[in-house]
PDB file of all heavy atoms in Angstrom:
ATOM      1  N   ALA A  27      -0.917  -5.783  -5.778  1.00 95.00           N
ATOM      2  CA  ALA A  27      -1.726  -4.591  -6.039  1.00 95.00           C
ATOM      3  C   ALA A  27      -0.882  -3.336  -5.815  1.00 95.00           C
ATOM      4  O   ALA A  27      -0.171  -3.217  -4.818  1.00 95.00           O
ATOM      5  CB  ALA A  27      -2.948  -4.580  -5.130  1.00 95.00           C
ATOM      6  N   GLY A  28      -0.966  -2.394  -6.740  1.00 94.00           N
ATOM      7  CA  GLY A  28      -0.172  -1.164  -6.614  1.00 94.00           C
ATOM      8  C   GLY A  28      -0.371  -0.302  -7.838  1.00 94.00           C
ATOM      9  O   GLY A  28      -1.181  -0.604  -8.713  1.00 94.00           O
ATOM     10  N   GLY A  29       0.388   0.783  -7.896  1.00 93.00           N
ATOM     11  CA  GLY A  29       0.280   1.640  -9.063  1.00 93.00           C
ATOM     12  C   GLY A  29       0.862   3.014  -8.817  1.00 93.00           C
ATOM     13  O   GLY A  29       1.259   3.355  -7.698  1.00 93.00           O
ATOM     14  N   ALA A  30       0.917   3.799  -9.896  1.00 93.00           N
ATOM     15  CA  ALA A  30       1.471   5.158  -9.850  1.00 93.00           C
ATOM     16  C   ALA A  30       0.467   6.124 -10.447  1.00 93.00           C
ATOM     17  O   ALA A  30      -0.314   5.761 -11.330  1.00 93.00           O
ATOM     18  CB  ALA A  30       2.786   5.221 -10.629  1.00 93.00           C
ATOM     19  N   LYS A  31       0.509   7.348  -9.958  1.00 93.00           N
ATOM     20  CA  LYS A  31      -0.297   8.429 -10.539  1.00 93.00           C
ATOM     21  C   LYS A  31       0.555   9.678 -10.648  1.00 93.00           C
ATOM     22  O   LYS A  31       1.067  10.170  -9.651  1.00 93.00           O
ATOM     23  CB  LYS A  31      -1.531   8.716  -9.686  1.00 93.00           C
ATOM     24  CG  LYS A  31      -2.651   7.715  -9.821  1.00 93.00           C
ATOM     25  CD  LYS A  31      -3.925   8.198  -9.151  1.00 93.00           C
ATOM     26  CE  LYS A  31      -5.066   7.217  -9.349  1.00 93.00           C
ATOM     27  NZ  LYS A  31      -6.335   7.692  -8.742  1.00 93.00           N
ATOM     28  N   GLY A  32       0.707  10.163 -11.875  1.00 91.00           N
ATOM     29  CA  GLY A  32       1.369  11.435 -12.090  1.00 91.00           C
ATOM     30  C   GLY A  32       2.881  11.374 -12.165  1.00 91.00           C
ATOM     31  O   GLY A  32       3.517  10.432 -11.696  1.00 91.00           O
ATOM     32  N   ILE A  33       3.456  12.421 -12.803  1.00 91.00           N
ATOM     33  CA  ILE A  33       4.914  12.568 -12.869  1.00 91.00           C
ATOM     34  C   ILE A  33       5.323  13.985 -12.463  1.00 91.00           C
ATOM     35  O   ILE A  33       6.414  14.437 -12.771  1.00 91.00           O
ATOM     36  CB  ILE A  33       5.452  12.244 -14.285  1.00 91.00           C
ATOM     37  CG1 ILE A  33       4.788  13.152 -15.335  1.00 91.00           C
ATOM     38  CG2 ILE A  33       5.260  10.779 -14.627  1.00 91.00           C
ATOM     39  CD1 ILE A  33       5.471  13.101 -16.691  1.00 91.00           C
ATOM     40  N   GLU A  34       4.431  14.676 -11.739  1.00 94.00           N
ATOM     41  CA  GLU A  34       4.714  16.054 -11.353  1.00 94.00           C
ATOM     42  C   GLU A  34       5.777  16.113 -10.263  1.00 94.00           C
ATOM     43  O   GLU A  34       6.068  15.128  -9.594  1.00 94.00           O
ATOM     44  CB  GLU A  34       3.432  16.736 -10.863  1.00 94.00           C
ATOM     45  CG  GLU A  34       2.370  16.926 -11.945  1.00 94.00           C
ATOM     46  CD  GLU A  34       1.579  15.661 -12.204  1.00 94.00           C
ATOM     47  OE1 GLU A  34       1.661  14.730 -11.377  1.00 94.00           O
ATOM     48  OE2 GLU A  34       0.905  15.599 -13.254  1.00 94.00           O
ATOM     49  N   SER A  35       6.327  17.304 -10.070  1.00 95.00           N
ATOM     50  CA  SER A  35       7.355  17.510  -9.051  1.00 95.00           C
ATOM     51  C   SER A  35       6.752  17.388  -7.658  1.00 95.00           C
ATOM     52  O   SER A  35       5.523  17.429  -7.473  1.00 95.00           O
ATOM     53  CB  SER A  35       7.979  18.898  -9.202  1.00 95.00           C
ATOM     54  OG  SER A  35       7.026  19.906  -8.868  1.00 95.00           O
ATOM     55  N   VAL A  36       7.615  17.250  -6.658  1.00 96.00           N
ATOM     56  CA  VAL A  36       7.162  17.233  -5.267  1.00 96.00           C
ATOM     57  C   VAL A  36       6.374  18.502  -4.962  1.00 96.00           C
ATOM     58  O   VAL A  36       5.332  18.474  -4.288  1.00 96.00           O
ATOM     59  CB  VAL A  36       8.358  17.087  -4.308  1.00 96.00           C
ATOM     60  CG1 VAL A  36       7.919  17.269  -2.855  1.00 96.00           C
ATOM     61  CG2 VAL A  36       9.048  15.737  -4.506  1.00 96.00           C
ATOM     62  N   GLU A  37       6.821  19.627  -5.483  1.00 96.00           N
ATOM     63  CA  GLU A  37       6.161  20.903  -5.203  1.00 96.00           C
ATOM     64  C   GLU A  37       4.754  20.967  -5.786  1.00 96.00           C
ATOM     65  O   GLU A  37       3.825  21.472  -5.137  1.00 96.00           O
ATOM     66  CB  GLU A  37       6.994  22.049  -5.790  1.00 96.00           C
ATOM     67  CG  GLU A  37       6.375  23.433  -5.580  1.00 96.00           C
ATOM     68  CD  GLU A  37       7.190  24.548  -6.223  1.00 96.00           C
ATOM     69  OE1 GLU A  37       8.153  24.238  -6.953  1.00 96.00           O
ATOM     70  OE2 GLU A  37       6.860  25.724  -5.989  1.00 96.00           O
ATOM     71  N   THR A  38       4.586  20.455  -6.996  1.00 96.00           N
ATOM     72  CA  THR A  38       3.320  20.674  -7.702  1.00 96.00           C
ATOM     73  C   THR A  38       2.388  19.482  -7.733  1.00 96.00           C
ATOM     74  O   THR A  38       1.230  19.616  -8.139  1.00 96.00           O
ATOM     75  CB  THR A  38       3.605  21.095  -9.157  1.00 96.00           C
ATOM     76  OG1 THR A  38       4.283  20.021  -9.835  1.00 96.00           O
ATOM     77  CG2 THR A  38       4.453  22.358  -9.212  1.00 96.00           C
ATOM     78  N   ALA A  39       2.823  18.321  -7.310  1.00 96.00           N
ATOM     79  CA  ALA A  39       2.005  17.112  -7.413  1.00 96.00           C
ATOM     80  C   ALA A  39       0.758  17.193  -6.542  1.00 96.00           C
ATOM     81  O   ALA A  39       0.731  17.868  -5.511  1.00 96.00           O
ATOM     82  CB  ALA A  39       2.828  15.889  -7.030  1.00 96.00           C
ATOM     83  N   SER A  40      -0.247  16.450  -6.951  1.00 95.00           N
ATOM     84  CA  SER A  40      -1.504  16.378  -6.220  1.00 95.00           C
ATOM     85  C   SER A  40      -1.333  15.566  -4.940  1.00 95.00           C
ATOM     86  O   SER A  40      -0.856  14.418  -4.972  1.00 95.00           O
ATOM     87  CB  SER A  40      -2.564  15.720  -7.107  1.00 95.00           C
ATOM     88  OG  SER A  40      -3.619  15.212  -6.356  1.00 95.00           O
ATOM     89  N   VAL A  41      -1.750  16.143  -3.827  1.00 97.00           N
ATOM     90  CA  VAL A  41      -1.715  15.412  -2.557  1.00 97.00           C
ATOM     91  C   VAL A  41      -2.632  14.192  -2.633  1.00 97.00           C
ATOM     92  O   VAL A  41      -2.327  13.129  -2.067  1.00 97.00           O
ATOM     93  CB  VAL A  41      -2.119  16.330  -1.394  1.00 97.00           C
ATOM     94  CG1 VAL A  41      -2.324  15.534  -0.109  1.00 97.00           C
ATOM     95  CG2 VAL A  41      -1.061  17.404  -1.168  1.00 97.00           C
ATOM     96  N   GLU A  42      -3.735  14.330  -3.341  1.00 97.00           N
ATOM     97  CA  GLU A  42      -4.660  13.203  -3.487  1.00 97.00           C
ATOM     98  C   GLU A  42      -3.993  12.044  -4.221  1.00 97.00           C
ATOM     99  O   GLU A  42      -4.199  10.872  -3.858  1.00 97.00           O
ATOM    100  CB  GLU A  42      -5.921  13.640  -4.240  1.00 97.00           C
ATOM    101  CG  GLU A  42      -6.846  14.562  -3.461  1.00 97.00           C
ATOM    102  CD  GLU A  42      -6.311  15.990  -3.342  1.00 97.00           C
ATOM    103  OE1 GLU A  42      -5.430  16.367  -4.165  1.00 97.00           O
ATOM    104  OE2 GLU A  42      -6.768  16.719  -2.440  1.00 97.00           O
ATOM    105  N   ASP A  43      -3.196  12.342  -5.247  1.00 96.00           N
ATOM    106  CA  ASP A  43      -2.473  11.282  -5.943  1.00 96.00           C
ATOM    107  C   ASP A  43      -1.476  10.600  -5.027  1.00 96.00           C
ATOM    108  O   ASP A  43      -1.348   9.369  -5.028  1.00 96.00           O
ATOM    109  CB  ASP A  43      -1.736  11.845  -7.167  1.00 96.00           C
ATOM    110  CG  ASP A  43      -2.671  12.152  -8.333  1.00 96.00           C
ATOM    111  OD1 ASP A  43      -3.857  11.785  -8.263  1.00 96.00           O
ATOM    112  OD2 ASP A  43      -2.208  12.773  -9.312  1.00 96.00           O
ATOM    113  N   TRP A  44      -0.775  11.381  -4.228  1.00 97.00           N
ATOM    114  CA  TRP A  44       0.181  10.806  -3.283  1.00 97.00           C
ATOM    115  C   TRP A  44      -0.540   9.917  -2.272  1.00 97.00           C
ATOM    116  O   TRP A  44      -0.072   8.818  -1.955  1.00 97.00           O
ATOM    117  CB  TRP A  44       0.953  11.915  -2.557  1.00 97.00           C
ATOM    118  CG  TRP A  44       2.112  12.474  -3.303  1.00 97.00           C
ATOM    119  CD1 TRP A  44       2.116  12.949  -4.576  1.00 97.00           C
ATOM    120  CD2 TRP A  44       3.450  12.613  -2.815  1.00 97.00           C
ATOM    121  NE1 TRP A  44       3.377  13.398  -4.913  1.00 97.00           N
ATOM    122  CE2 TRP A  44       4.214  13.207  -3.856  1.00 97.00           C
ATOM    123  CE3 TRP A  44       4.074  12.322  -1.618  1.00 97.00           C
ATOM    124  CZ2 TRP A  44       5.571  13.490  -3.710  1.00 97.00           C
ATOM    125  CZ3 TRP A  44       5.431  12.601  -1.475  1.00 97.00           C
ATOM    126  CH2 TRP A  44       6.169  13.181  -2.520  1.00 97.00           C
ATOM    127  N   ALA A  45      -1.672  10.401  -1.762  1.00 97.00           N
ATOM    128  CA  ALA A  45      -2.420   9.628  -0.778  1.00 97.00           C
ATOM    129  C   ALA A  45      -2.873   8.297  -1.366  1.00 97.00           C
ATOM    130  O   ALA A  45      -2.789   7.245  -0.715  1.00 97.00           O
ATOM    131  CB  ALA A  45      -3.620  10.435  -0.281  1.00 97.00           C
ATOM    132  N   TRP A  46      -3.336   8.328  -2.631  1.00 96.00           N
ATOM    133  CA  TRP A  46      -3.746   7.086  -3.282  1.00 96.00           C
ATOM    134  C   TRP A  46      -2.572   6.132  -3.415  1.00 96.00           C
ATOM    135  O   TRP A  46      -2.703   4.928  -3.139  1.00 96.00           O
ATOM    136  CB  TRP A  46      -4.320   7.394  -4.671  1.00 96.00           C
ATOM    137  CG  TRP A  46      -4.757   6.165  -5.416  1.00 96.00           C
ATOM    138  CD1 TRP A  46      -5.951   5.520  -5.316  1.00 96.00           C
ATOM    139  CD2 TRP A  46      -3.967   5.407  -6.351  1.00 96.00           C
ATOM    140  NE1 TRP A  46      -5.967   4.416  -6.141  1.00 96.00           N
ATOM    141  CE2 TRP A  46      -4.774   4.326  -6.788  1.00 96.00           C
ATOM    142  CE3 TRP A  46      -2.679   5.545  -6.863  1.00 96.00           C
ATOM    143  CZ2 TRP A  46      -4.318   3.393  -7.717  1.00 96.00           C
ATOM    144  CZ3 TRP A  46      -2.222   4.608  -7.782  1.00 96.00           C
ATOM    145  CH2 TRP A  46      -3.029   3.549  -8.198  1.00 96.00           C
ATOM    146  N   MET A  47      -1.403   6.639  -3.822  1.00 97.00           N
ATOM    147  CA  MET A  47      -0.227   5.779  -3.990  1.00 97.00           C
ATOM    148  C   MET A  47       0.204   5.149  -2.680  1.00 97.00           C
ATOM    149  O   MET A  47       0.582   3.973  -2.635  1.00 97.00           O
ATOM    150  CB  MET A  47       0.911   6.561  -4.649  1.00 97.00           C
ATOM    151  CG  MET A  47       0.695   6.800  -6.135  1.00 97.00           C
ATOM    152  SD  MET A  47       2.097   7.550  -6.992  1.00 97.00           S
ATOM    153  CE  MET A  47       1.859   9.284  -6.616  1.00 97.00           C
ATOM    154  N   PHE A  48       0.140   5.912  -1.595  1.00 97.00           N
ATOM    155  CA  PHE A  48       0.509   5.331  -0.300  1.00 97.00           C
ATOM    156  C   PHE A  48      -0.534   4.320   0.159  1.00 97.00           C
ATOM    157  O   PHE A  48      -0.191   3.272   0.728  1.00 97.00           O
ATOM    158  CB  PHE A  48       0.706   6.429   0.743  1.00 97.00           C
ATOM    159  CG  PHE A  48       2.120   6.911   0.818  1.00 97.00           C
ATOM    160  CD1 PHE A  48       2.603   7.834  -0.095  1.00 97.00           C
ATOM    161  CD2 PHE A  48       2.999   6.413   1.768  1.00 97.00           C
ATOM    162  CE1 PHE A  48       3.920   8.262  -0.058  1.00 97.00           C
ATOM    163  CE2 PHE A  48       4.312   6.837   1.820  1.00 97.00           C
ATOM    164  CZ  PHE A  48       4.783   7.764   0.912  1.00 97.00           C
ATOM    165  N   GLU A  49      -1.805   4.592  -0.088  1.00 97.00           N
ATOM    166  CA  GLU A  49      -2.857   3.659   0.318  1.00 97.00           C
ATOM    167  C   GLU A  49      -2.699   2.309  -0.361  1.00 97.00           C
ATOM    168  O   GLU A  49      -2.792   1.265   0.288  1.00 97.00           O
ATOM    169  CB  GLU A  49      -4.233   4.246  -0.008  1.00 97.00           C
ATOM    170  CG  GLU A  49      -4.750   5.212   1.027  1.00 97.00           C
ATOM    171  CD  GLU A  49      -5.091   4.535   2.356  1.00 97.00           C
ATOM    172  OE1 GLU A  49      -5.453   3.340   2.365  1.00 97.00           O
ATOM    173  OE2 GLU A  49      -5.004   5.205   3.394  1.00 97.00           O
ATOM    174  N   VAL A  50      -2.474   2.297  -1.655  1.00 97.00           N
ATOM    175  CA  VAL A  50      -2.445   1.023  -2.382  1.00 97.00           C
ATOM    176  C   VAL A  50      -1.087   0.338  -2.299  1.00 97.00           C
ATOM    177  O   VAL A  50      -1.010  -0.891  -2.180  1.00 97.00           O
ATOM    178  CB  VAL A  50      -2.885   1.223  -3.856  1.00 97.00           C
ATOM    179  CG1 VAL A  50      -1.859   1.998  -4.663  1.00 97.00           C
ATOM    180  CG2 VAL A  50      -3.190  -0.119  -4.508  1.00 97.00           C
ATOM    181  N   ASN A  51       0.006   1.116  -2.333  1.00 97.00           N
ATOM    182  CA  ASN A  51       1.346   0.516  -2.374  1.00 97.00           C
ATOM    183  C   ASN A  51       1.924   0.199  -1.000  1.00 97.00           C
ATOM    184  O   ASN A  51       2.839  -0.632  -0.892  1.00 97.00           O
ATOM    185  CB  ASN A  51       2.319   1.465  -3.095  1.00 97.00           C
ATOM    186  CG  ASN A  51       2.023   1.608  -4.574  1.00 97.00           C
ATOM    187  OD1 ASN A  51       2.129   0.657  -5.331  1.00 97.00           O
ATOM    188  ND2 ASN A  51       1.629   2.807  -4.988  1.00 97.00           N
ATOM    189  N   VAL A  52       1.441   0.879   0.030  1.00 98.00           N
ATOM    190  CA  VAL A  52       2.028   0.704   1.367  1.00 98.00           C
ATOM    191  C   VAL A  52       0.988   0.220   2.370  1.00 98.00           C
ATOM    192  O   VAL A  52       1.104  -0.881   2.916  1.00 98.00           O
ATOM    193  CB  VAL A  52       2.665   2.024   1.877  1.00 98.00           C
ATOM    194  CG1 VAL A  52       3.393   1.779   3.199  1.00 98.00           C
ATOM    195  CG2 VAL A  52       3.615   2.609   0.848  1.00 98.00           C
ATOM    196  N   ILE A  53      -0.048   1.030   2.601  1.00 98.00           N
ATOM    197  CA  ILE A  53      -1.045   0.661   3.608  1.00 98.00           C
ATOM    198  C   ILE A  53      -1.782  -0.603   3.187  1.00 98.00           C
ATOM    199  O   ILE A  53      -2.080  -1.473   4.012  1.00 98.00           O
ATOM    200  CB  ILE A  53      -2.053   1.819   3.831  1.00 98.00           C
ATOM    201  CG1 ILE A  53      -1.312   3.110   4.191  1.00 98.00           C
ATOM    202  CG2 ILE A  53      -3.035   1.433   4.927  1.00 98.00           C
ATOM    203  CD1 ILE A  53      -0.435   3.011   5.413  1.00 98.00           C
ATOM    204  N   GLY A  54      -2.072  -0.739   1.893  1.00 98.00           N
ATOM    205  CA  GLY A  54      -2.727  -1.954   1.417  1.00 98.00           C
ATOM    206  C   GLY A  54      -1.876  -3.193   1.664  1.00 98.00           C
ATOM    207  O   GLY A  54      -2.393  -4.247   2.075  1.00 98.00           O
ATOM    208  N   VAL A  55      -0.578  -3.092   1.422  1.00 98.00           N
ATOM    209  CA  VAL A  55       0.334  -4.213   1.685  1.00 98.00           C
ATOM    210  C   VAL A  55       0.349  -4.543   3.173  1.00 98.00           C
ATOM    211  O   VAL A  55       0.284  -5.718   3.564  1.00 98.00           O
ATOM    212  CB  VAL A  55       1.760  -3.884   1.184  1.00 98.00           C
ATOM    213  CG1 VAL A  55       2.761  -4.936   1.658  1.00 98.00           C
ATOM    214  CG2 VAL A  55       1.779  -3.788  -0.330  1.00 98.00           C
ATOM    215  N   LYS A  56       0.446  -3.517   4.007  1.00 98.00           N
ATOM    216  CA  LYS A  56       0.424  -3.751   5.450  1.00 98.00           C
ATOM    217  C   LYS A  56      -0.890  -4.394   5.886  1.00 98.00           C
ATOM    218  O   LYS A  56      -0.921  -5.345   6.681  1.00 98.00           O
ATOM    219  CB  LYS A  56       0.628  -2.415   6.184  1.00 98.00           C
ATOM    220  CG  LYS A  56       0.672  -2.530   7.732  1.00 98.00           C
ATOM    221  CD  LYS A  56      -0.691  -2.307   8.343  1.00 98.00           C
ATOM    222  CE  LYS A  56      -0.658  -2.289   9.872  1.00 98.00           C
ATOM    223  NZ  LYS A  56      -0.535  -3.611  10.477  1.00 98.00           N
ATOM    224  N   ARG A  57      -2.019  -3.878   5.354  1.00 98.00           N
ATOM    225  CA  ARG A  57      -3.340  -4.367   5.755  1.00 98.00           C
ATOM    226  C   ARG A  57      -3.506  -5.852   5.408  1.00 98.00           C
ATOM    227  O   ARG A  57      -3.922  -6.654   6.253  1.00 98.00           O
ATOM    228  CB  ARG A  57      -4.412  -3.516   5.067  1.00 98.00           C
ATOM    229  CG  ARG A  57      -5.829  -3.846   5.482  1.00 98.00           C
ATOM    230  CD  ARG A  57      -6.835  -2.929   4.786  1.00 98.00           C
ATOM    231  NE  ARG A  57      -6.839  -1.603   5.399  1.00 98.00           N
ATOM    232  CZ  ARG A  57      -6.519  -0.474   4.788  1.00 98.00           C
ATOM    233  NH1 ARG A  57      -6.132  -0.506   3.522  1.00 98.00           N
ATOM    234  NH2 ARG A  57      -6.573   0.676   5.414  1.00 98.00           N
ATOM    235  N   VAL A  58      -3.167  -6.221   4.185  1.00 98.00           N
ATOM    236  CA  VAL A  58      -3.335  -7.617   3.766  1.00 98.00           C
ATOM    237  C   VAL A  58      -2.355  -8.532   4.495  1.00 98.00           C
ATOM    238  O   VAL A  58      -2.713  -9.624   4.945  1.00 98.00           O
ATOM    239  CB  VAL A  58      -3.177  -7.739   2.237  1.00 98.00           C
ATOM    240  CG1 VAL A  58      -3.238  -9.196   1.795  1.00 98.00           C
ATOM    241  CG2 VAL A  58      -4.248  -6.929   1.514  1.00 98.00           C
ATOM    242  N   THR A  59      -1.122  -8.081   4.637  1.00 98.00           N
ATOM    243  CA  THR A  59      -0.116  -8.900   5.321  1.00 98.00           C
ATOM    244  C   THR A  59      -0.512  -9.148   6.768  1.00 98.00           C
ATOM    245  O   THR A  59      -0.429 -10.282   7.267  1.00 98.00           O
ATOM    246  CB  THR A  59       1.262  -8.218   5.244  1.00 98.00           C
ATOM    247  OG1 THR A  59       1.624  -8.050   3.875  1.00 98.00           O
ATOM    248  CG2 THR A  59       2.316  -9.042   5.955  1.00 98.00           C
ATOM    249  N   SER A  60      -0.952  -8.114   7.458  1.00 98.00           N
ATOM    250  CA  SER A  60      -1.375  -8.271   8.850  1.00 98.00           C
ATOM    251  C   SER A  60      -2.541  -9.244   8.963  1.00 98.00           C
ATOM    252  O   SER A  60      -2.587 -10.092   9.865  1.00 98.00           O
ATOM    253  CB  SER A  60      -1.776  -6.925   9.447  1.00 98.00           C
ATOM    254  OG  SER A  60      -0.662  -6.068   9.565  1.00 98.00           O
ATOM    255  N   ALA A  61      -3.501  -9.128   8.052  1.00 98.00           N
ATOM    256  CA  ALA A  61      -4.687  -9.979   8.110  1.00 98.00           C
ATOM    257  C   ALA A  61      -4.357 -11.440   7.853  1.00 98.00           C
ATOM    258  O   ALA A  61      -4.946 -12.342   8.469  1.00 98.00           O
ATOM    259  CB  ALA A  61      -5.726  -9.484   7.105  1.00 98.00           C
ATOM    260  N   LEU A  62      -3.410 -11.685   6.934  1.00 98.00           N
ATOM    261  CA  LEU A  62      -3.151 -13.058   6.511  1.00 98.00           C
ATOM    262  C   LEU A  62      -1.996 -13.746   7.232  1.00 98.00           C
ATOM    263  O   LEU A  62      -1.842 -14.965   7.111  1.00 98.00           O
ATOM    264  CB  LEU A  62      -2.903 -13.099   4.998  1.00 98.00           C
ATOM    265  CG  LEU A  62      -4.159 -13.310   4.126  1.00 98.00           C
ATOM    266  CD1 LEU A  62      -5.218 -12.240   4.385  1.00 98.00           C
ATOM    267  CD2 LEU A  62      -3.787 -13.355   2.663  1.00 98.00           C
ATOM    268  N   LEU A  63      -1.224 -13.006   8.013  1.00 98.00           N
ATOM    269  CA  LEU A  63      -0.077 -13.641   8.675  1.00 98.00           C
ATOM    270  C   LEU A  63      -0.473 -14.827   9.557  1.00 98.00           C
ATOM    271  O   LEU A  63       0.201 -15.872   9.524  1.00 98.00           O
ATOM    272  CB  LEU A  63       0.701 -12.606   9.488  1.00 98.00           C
ATOM    273  CG  LEU A  63       2.098 -12.276   8.966  1.00 98.00           C
ATOM    274  CD1 LEU A  63       2.741 -11.165   9.764  1.00 98.00           C
ATOM    275  CD2 LEU A  63       2.996 -13.506   8.954  1.00 98.00           C
ATOM    276  N   PRO A  64      -1.536 -14.735  10.350  1.00 97.00           N
ATOM    277  CA  PRO A  64      -1.903 -15.925  11.137  1.00 97.00           C
ATOM    278  C   PRO A  64      -2.215 -17.133  10.265  1.00 97.00           C
ATOM    279  O   PRO A  64      -1.891 -18.275  10.638  1.00 97.00           O
ATOM    280  CB  PRO A  64      -3.152 -15.449  11.899  1.00 97.00           C
ATOM    281  CG  PRO A  64      -2.987 -13.970  12.003  1.00 97.00           C
ATOM    282  CD  PRO A  64      -2.363 -13.566  10.700  1.00 97.00           C
ATOM    283  N   LEU A  65      -2.818 -16.913   9.110  1.00 97.00           N
ATOM    284  CA  LEU A  65      -3.123 -18.021   8.208  1.00 97.00           C
ATOM    285  C   LEU A  65      -1.859 -18.562   7.557  1.00 97.00           C
ATOM    286  O   LEU A  65      -1.739 -19.770   7.312  1.00 97.00           O
ATOM    287  CB  LEU A  65      -4.111 -17.562   7.130  1.00 97.00           C
ATOM    288  CG  LEU A  65      -5.440 -16.986   7.641  1.00 97.00           C
ATOM    289  CD1 LEU A  65      -6.319 -16.575   6.475  1.00 97.00           C
ATOM    290  CD2 LEU A  65      -6.153 -17.976   8.537  1.00 97.00           C
ATOM    291  N   LEU A  66      -0.906 -17.674   7.261  1.00 98.00           N
ATOM    292  CA  LEU A  66       0.372 -18.115   6.717  1.00 98.00           C
ATOM    293  C   LEU A  66       1.150 -18.938   7.747  1.00 98.00           C
ATOM    294  O   LEU A  66       1.822 -19.916   7.389  1.00 98.00           O
ATOM    295  CB  LEU A  66       1.196 -16.908   6.269  1.00 98.00           C
ATOM    296  CG  LEU A  66       0.703 -16.226   4.997  1.00 98.00           C
ATOM    297  CD1 LEU A  66       1.269 -14.814   4.884  1.00 98.00           C
ATOM    298  CD2 LEU A  66       1.076 -17.040   3.756  1.00 98.00           C
ATOM    299  N   ARG A  67       1.025 -18.558   9.006  1.00 97.00           N
ATOM    300  CA  ARG A  67       1.690 -19.355  10.055  1.00 97.00           C
ATOM    301  C   ARG A  67       1.100 -20.760  10.114  1.00 97.00           C
ATOM    302  O   ARG A  67       1.834 -21.744  10.299  1.00 97.00           O
ATOM    303  CB  ARG A  67       1.566 -18.652  11.404  1.00 97.00           C
ATOM    304  CG  ARG A  67       2.447 -17.415  11.532  1.00 97.00           C
ATOM    305  CD  ARG A  67       2.426 -16.851  12.947  1.00 97.00           C
ATOM    306  NE  ARG A  67       3.424 -15.810  13.093  1.00 97.00           N
ATOM    307  CZ  ARG A  67       3.143 -14.503  13.202  1.00 97.00           C
ATOM    308  NH1 ARG A  67       1.880 -14.083  13.171  1.00 97.00           N
ATOM    309  NH2 ARG A  67       4.118 -13.626  13.331  1.00 97.00           N
ATOM    310  N   LEU A  68      -0.208 -20.868   9.971  1.00 95.00           N
ATOM    311  CA  LEU A  68      -0.832 -22.192   9.934  1.00 95.00           C
ATOM    312  C   LEU A  68      -0.349 -22.974   8.720  1.00 95.00           C
ATOM    313  O   LEU A  68      -0.069 -24.173   8.817  1.00 95.00           O
ATOM    314  CB  LEU A  68      -2.355 -22.051   9.895  1.00 95.00           C
ATOM    315  CG  LEU A  68      -3.026 -21.534  11.167  1.00 95.00           C
ATOM    316  CD1 LEU A  68      -4.518 -21.314  10.925  1.00 95.00           C
ATOM    317  CD2 LEU A  68      -2.800 -22.505  12.321  1.00 95.00           C
ATOM    318  N   GLY A  69      -0.259 -22.303   7.577  1.00 96.00           N
ATOM    319  CA  GLY A  69       0.236 -22.963   6.385  1.00 96.00           C
ATOM    320  C   GLY A  69       1.674 -23.424   6.537  1.00 96.00           C
ATOM    321  O   GLY A  69       2.044 -24.514   6.087  1.00 96.00           O
ATOM    322  N   ALA A  70       2.488 -22.585   7.201  1.00 96.00           N
ATOM    323  CA  ALA A  70       3.888 -22.951   7.430  1.00 96.00           C
ATOM    324  C   ALA A  70       4.002 -24.145   8.364  1.00 96.00           C
ATOM    325  O   ALA A  70       4.861 -25.022   8.179  1.00 96.00           O
ATOM    326  CB  ALA A  70       4.644 -21.753   8.007  1.00 96.00           C
ATOM    327  N   THR A  71       3.143 -24.208   9.363  1.00 94.00           N
ATOM    328  CA  THR A  71       3.146 -25.339  10.283  1.00 94.00           C
ATOM    329  C   THR A  71       2.776 -26.627   9.550  1.00 94.00           C
ATOM    330  O   THR A  71       3.359 -27.684   9.789  1.00 94.00           O
ATOM    331  CB  THR A  71       2.145 -25.088  11.426  1.00 94.00           C
ATOM    332  OG1 THR A  71       2.548 -23.917  12.146  1.00 94.00           O
ATOM    333  CG2 THR A  71       2.092 -26.271  12.377  1.00 94.00           C
ATOM    334  N   GLU A  72       1.821 -26.506   8.632  1.00 91.00           N
ATOM    335  CA  GLU A  72       1.362 -27.670   7.884  1.00 91.00           C
ATOM    336  C   GLU A  72       2.400 -28.181   6.892  1.00 91.00           C
ATOM    337  O   GLU A  72       2.623 -29.385   6.767  1.00 91.00           O
ATOM    338  CB  GLU A  72       0.082 -27.301   7.137  1.00 91.00           C
ATOM    339  CG  GLU A  72      -0.418 -28.380   6.198  1.00 91.00           C
ATOM    340  CD  GLU A  72      -1.392 -27.823   5.171  1.00 91.00           C
ATOM    341  OE1 GLU A  72      -0.943 -27.186   4.194  1.00 91.00           O
ATOM    342  OE2 GLU A  72      -2.584 -28.041   5.364  1.00 91.00           O
TER     343      GLU A  72
END
């Protein structure tokens, strides 16, 4: 899951677009990975 919004410069880009990109591309990855790591450890043991 991920994506991009906009091609504006750092100066003019929408903060909301940046926040969305960080939420889905970074925080979302961290959130899912943290939640599933214990289950992946069980899978690795198996």
Side-chain angles (χ1 to χ4, degrees):
K31 283 190 177 182
I33 58 168
E34 294 80 15
S35 68
V36 172
E37 179 183 7
T38 63
S40 160
V41 170
E42 289 74 20
D43 285 352
W44 277 52
W46 180 85
M47 286 187 277
F48 269 81
E49 277 292 331
V50 70
N51 292 295
V52 186
I53 305 302
V55 171
K56 182 267 185 283
R57 185 178 284 118
V58 176
T59 300
S60 293
L62 270 57
L63 248 175
L65 303 180
L66 287 161
R67 287 187 171 108
L68 290 175
T71 299
E72 174 199 78

